[in-house]
Amino acid sequence: MSRRNQILTKDDVSLTDLMNQTFGVVDAFNDSEHIFRGLVGQDVDEDRFTSVAGDMKWDELAELEPSENSDLDESVMAIRVKEYGKSLAMSPAYIEDSTEQSVMQRVQKMLRGALDKENEVIFESLKAGVADGSGVWYDIPNYGNYSFDDNHSHTFADTNALFGDAEAHSATRHVRMASMDLRHHGKRPGVVICSSEFAMSFVDELAYDAGYHIPDAGGLRESDLQEATMKIDGASVVQTPYLTGNTFYVVSDEQPVYVHEKRPVTISQDSNGTPVANPADMMGAYGTARYGARLADPLAAVEVTADNLA
């Protein structure tokens, strides 16, 4: 028997046992609820999908009036799926010199990195998809007493652009004004994503030394959202290291980021995703995944840089 297939750890745990335990940890990770992904995104089965937008306002129908074709606009969009991975860097010497606990800690650290990358991909797709005034792919329907042209923008480079005046405004008022842009289309704000610096502005406004809980988007748990005490205009505030300064996003509650997962996190022989087939493949193995994300509706989020805070 080659050395690659021998028992190699101090605790006499075989490579087969390590492989099975690693697979179990990875399966538990894939089956767990990814809170940030569920907060702003939803899973779709295909990397090409039809995004539907337009006017669904009901009309008064005359008796026996036949149905008419809808005036909804449809656009076939594609999610760009990419491969992501990280080497576990487990050489024969490392396994031989390490305890079972040490090996599992390395696997857990790799999975934390996988979650960080997933959150980053989802957030970057959100940032890239917000309407910026260059035109959207469908005719924006009027809503209530509000009317729009196709160059309507949800991106505001400064406080003046958001409010239309040169005055300073509070952080909370910035969020409320941004939320109005969602409500003008019949959408409801669901989450405010901001930097830790901007999150401090909310707390400073409301009360000195108060016990507010603003969870971090990167490590969200279900309990964090339940315990979140900072809500503005119905939207929960979360902070993220993917933002700095006073730029923030208000995202609608319809989970507008579509996520397509071709392959969940898998333990592979190499960076190409070749499956681990036997215990010896664990040495030099990678954690890999294939997925992509895209903001399906450019009007389902608002981006603001608040440069003039009161």
Side-chain angles (χ1 to χ4, degrees), residues 7-288:
I7 294 176
L8 296 178
T9 66
K10 290 178 180 178
D11 292 343
D12 292 331
V13 176
S14 68
L15 280 178
T16 300
D17 292 336
L18 281 174
M19 183 179 73
N20 291 336
Q21 289 186 54
T22 301
F23 285 0
V25 170
V26 172
D27 287 344
F29 172 82
N30 287 328
D31 291 339
S32 65
E33 188 171 9
H34 295 196
I35 303 298
F36 181 68
R37 176 167 160 179
L39 190 63
V40 301
Q42 56 181 293
D43 294 333
V44 294
D45 294 332
E46 302 290 339
D47 56 1
R48 293 181 65 84
F49 61 92
T50 301
S51 187
V52 180
D55 188 2
M56 280 295 286
K57 182 180 179 182
W58 284 32
D59 300 311
E60 181 179 351
L61 301 179
E63 186 175 0
L64 300 180
E65 182 176 343
S67 61
E68 298 180 357
N69 292 331
S70 171
D71 60 355
L72 290 178
D73 295 307
E74 295 186 0
S75 175
V76 177
M77 296 183 175
I79 297 174
R80 187 177 182 184
V81 173
K82 295 184 179 181
E83 181 124 18
Y84 302 95
K86 184 66 177 178
S87 173
L88 281 169
M90 294 198 299
S91 64
Y94 173 79
I95 296 177
E96 184 176 15
D97 294 341
S98 301
T99 64
E100 173 189 354
Q101 182 180 15
S102 297
V103 174
M104 288 300 101
Q105 286 176 343
R106 182 175 287 257
V107 174
Q108 292 282 8
K109 187 172 183 179
M110 180 271 293
L111 292 175
R112 286 195 296 272
L115 184 60
D116 288 343
K117 173 55 69 173
E118 176 185 289
N119 291 340
E120 177 186 340
V121 170
I122 292 172
F123 184 68
E124 289 300 320
S125 71
L126 171 67
K127 290 171 60 177
V130 179
D132 60 4
S134 61
V136 299
W137 52 266
Y138 62 92
D139 292 329
I140 303 175
N142 298 332
Y143 188 84
N145 288 328
Y146 296 97
S147 58
F148 312 94
D149 60 37
D150 291 353
N151 291 322
H152 181 60
S153 176
H154 276 193
T155 302
F156 301 92
D158 51 37
T159 299
N160 185 304
L162 180 65
F163 288 93
D165 60 45
E167 298 179 11
H169 297 272
S170 68
T172 299
R173 185 163 170 76
H174 274 81
V175 172
R176 289 188 178 277
M177 182 62 75
S179 295
M180 285 177 60
D181 267 79
L182 294 178
R183 296 186 184 278
H184 291 169
H185 303 283
K187 303 178 185 296
R188 295 183 299 271
V191 60
V192 179
I193 306 173
C194 64
S195 69
S196 56
E197 297 94 333
F198 198 63
M200 288 176 60
S201 300
F202 297 129
V203 178
D204 291 343
E205 280 179 36
L206 300 179
Y208 178 74
D209 201 26
Y212 295 102
H213 176 53
I214 302 177
D216 190 292
L220 276 177
R221 297 168 299 176
E222 189 63 41
S223 59
D224 284 326
L225 293 179
Q226 294 171 353
E227 296 170 2
T229 53
M230 183 67 70
K231 289 184 180 290
I232 300 175
D233 202 12
S236 299
V237 179
V238 299
Q239 53 190 324
T240 175
Y242 298 117
L243 283 173
T244 57
N246 291 339
T247 297
F248 67 90
Y249 291 81
V250 181
V251 184
S252 77
D253 64 357
E254 58 196 33
Q255 299 170 296
V257 177
Y258 284 7
V259 181
H260 178 58
E261 189 175 64
K262 285 281 191 181
R263 184 176 71 244
V265 173
T266 306
I267 300 300
S268 307
Q269 295 182 37
D270 48 45
S271 59
N272 296 319
T274 307
V276 166
N278 60 70
D281 294 337
M282 287 295 295
M283 287 174 284
Y286 280 71
T288 63

